[in-house]
Amino acid sequence: MKKLTLEELKKIKEKAQSDLQARSPEGKDKIVVHMGTCGIAAGARETLLAILDEIEKRNLQNVVVTQAGCIGLCEYEPLISVQKVGGPKVLYKHVTPEKARKIIAQHVINGQIVTEDVLSTE
Amino acid sequence: MKELSLHLLDLIENSIEAGAKNIFIEINKNKEKTVLRIVDDGKGIPEDVLRDITNPFTTTRRTRKVGLGISLFNEVITNCGGKLNIKSKVGEGTELISEFPSNHIDLPPWGNLADTIYALIVTHPEINFNFKIKTEKGSFEISTEDIKSKLGGDNSFFDPEVIRFIKSYLNQNLGGIGI
């Protein structure tokens, strides 16, 4: 198989140009994965990868994923927060890759908070 | 942590926390030894903190009183006969250099380095990362400035198609060099 080159990114850009302009991070649902030492040791990288995988597979255009550091709740790591546009910011605890996939399907896509995994809501 | 690539992710998170805008990461691995170098332009580490940096009770964070990242990595590396050296200047940035035997029995495997790079690049479009990885099987280099310029200087490249591309690109190009 021929290896991918960065040149091929240009094609993706051209294809997506029109809708890239229409979108801005402000109007998007936001997922934050906490990546302090405690988070990473508890498996935050794998959680993040599962989230990115769902976004890629389901082609979710309206979600943006970022990272943040430790927030002092190390015993609940991996922690992620989900904020849908206009909705509350929900902090989820002990988010394994499986839980992350469930949160994407149930909360991010269908707007139903996964109550049993919630640590706090603001 | 079970993988060196997780330690690397953690060390780079320190640079990000320090407000770095440009982070250069170099891994040079041959049969005998591996050299890891991380250079950032973050806020730097004050001298008194730097003197005691590998102590787990040294941290600048306010959420808790321990800082485990560097001390954990230092522990792993020194147990393998390696060394860790950090130079820093407040206001200018920090340079971390670590040298350790490539195949020591107590050294964790590198694990999935492509996943670490992918996780950093796609969630931090505001930071310029430059990775340079060299092994006896080949070399690989990626810079987020290149990605941004291919995307026409777009700073918010978070998009399912773009992240899919970056993931495949990393897996295909990094897979062959054996780290």
Side-chain angles (χ1 to χ4, degrees):
Chain A
M1 195 170 73
K2 194 179 140 283
K3 274 191 181 172
L4 282 174
T5 65
L6 280 180
E7 289 305 315
E8 286 155 271
L9 250 183
K10 266 190 185 158
K11 291 181 214 148
I12 294 176
K13 163 76 178 178
E14 279 151 26
K15 220 173 81 194
Q17 188 131 45
S18 52
D19 46 297
L20 271 174
Q21 279 163 352
R23 285 180 272 126
S24 70
E26 290 78 43
K28 288 188 174 195
D29 298 337
K30 202 171 161 198
I31 303 176
V32 179
V33 181
H34 291 275
M35 293 280 240
T37 306
C38 45
I40 294 171
R45 187 184 69 179
E46 273 48 50
T47 300
L48 171 65
L49 291 171
I51 292 168
L52 294 174
D53 190 50
E54 288 296 315
I55 286 169
E56 188 205 306
K57 271 200 216 139
R58 297 170 182 265
N59 207 29
L60 302 178
Q61 305 276 351
N62 204 41
V63 182
V64 63
V65 180
T66 55
Q67 286 185 36
C70 168
I71 47 171
L73 299 164
C74 313
E75 64 272 38
Y76 296 110
E77 297 281 359
L79 283 164
I80 73 167
S81 74
V82 175
Q83 183 161 32
K84 281 187 70 73
V85 175
K89 187 170 156 196
V90 180
L91 187 63
Y92 288 104
K93 61 182 176 185
H94 299 311
V95 186
T96 57
E98 296 70 41
K99 278 191 191 174
R101 290 180 197 275
K102 188 179 173 191
I103 292 165
I104 298 268
Q106 198 177 312
H107 185 173
V108 178
I109 297 175
N110 291 320
Q112 307 273 325
I113 294 171
V114 185
T115 43
E116 68 268 27
D117 299 324
V118 172
L119 182 64
S120 69
T121 307
E122 57 179 76
Chain B
M1 292 191 210
K2 291 181 196 128
E3 298 180 5
L4 283 176
S5 62
L6 288 177
H7 282 286
L8 178 64
L9 177 60
D10 190 32
L11 295 173
I12 297 170
E13 291 293 333
N14 287 341
S15 298
I16 296 169
E17 289 273 306
K21 289 283 153 263
N22 297 285
I23 306 174
F24 174 79
I25 302 105
E26 186 175 37
I27 301 170
N28 225 315
K29 177 180 176 241
N30 64 28
K31 274 195 198 95
E32 287 81 41
K33 70 169 188 186
T34 302
V35 180
L36 166 68
R37 196 167 149 248
I38 302 171
V39 184
D40 73 47
D41 59 354
K43 65 182 180 207
I45 306 167
E47 233 175 277
D48 55 322
V49 180
L50 192 61
R51 222 176 298 130
D52 209 23
I53 194 92
T54 56
N55 179 342
F57 298 102
T58 294
T59 181
T60 56
R61 75 171 72 248
R62 267 161 284 161
T63 50
R64 55 177 156 82
K65 288 199 173 74
V66 287
L68 291 173
I70 288 175
S71 54
L72 281 175
F73 180 67
N74 185 55
E75 176 93 8
V76 166
I77 293 307
T78 45
N79 281 348
C80 298
K83 53 187 184 226
L84 175 67
N85 196 351
I86 301 172
K87 287 181 225 161
S88 190
K89 245 194 174 144
V90 173
E92 286 178 25
T94 300
E95 179 181 23
L96 176 150
I97 301 177
S98 177
E99 226 182 279
F100 49 90
S102 296
N103 294 308
H104 193 280
I105 187 129
D106 290 327
L107 191 73
W110 267 98
N112 204 327
L113 187 57
D115 278 353
T116 282
I117 300 176
Y118 172 60
L120 285 165
I121 286 180
V122 303
T123 56
H124 292 291
E126 77 285 5
I127 294 172
N128 290 320
F129 290 105
N130 194 333
F131 284 90
K132 239 182 185 167
I133 297 145
K134 206 169 150 217
T135 72
E136 54 277 39
K137 287 191 186 151
S139 61
F140 172 71
E141 196 176 339
I142 186 168
S143 101
T144 37
E145 271 182 317
D146 278 354
I147 296 174
K148 283 176 206 164
S149 79
K150 294 289 185 300
L151 288 170
D154 196 328
N155 249 1
S156 58
F157 60 74
F158 197 90
D159 176 273
E161 266 195 85
V162 174
I163 66 171
R164 186 178 309 136
F165 173 86
I166 294 172
K167 187 179 169 189
S168 324
Y169 177 80
L170 284 168
N171 282 325
Q172 286 186 23
N173 290 282
L174 197 53
I177 70 165
I179 193 154

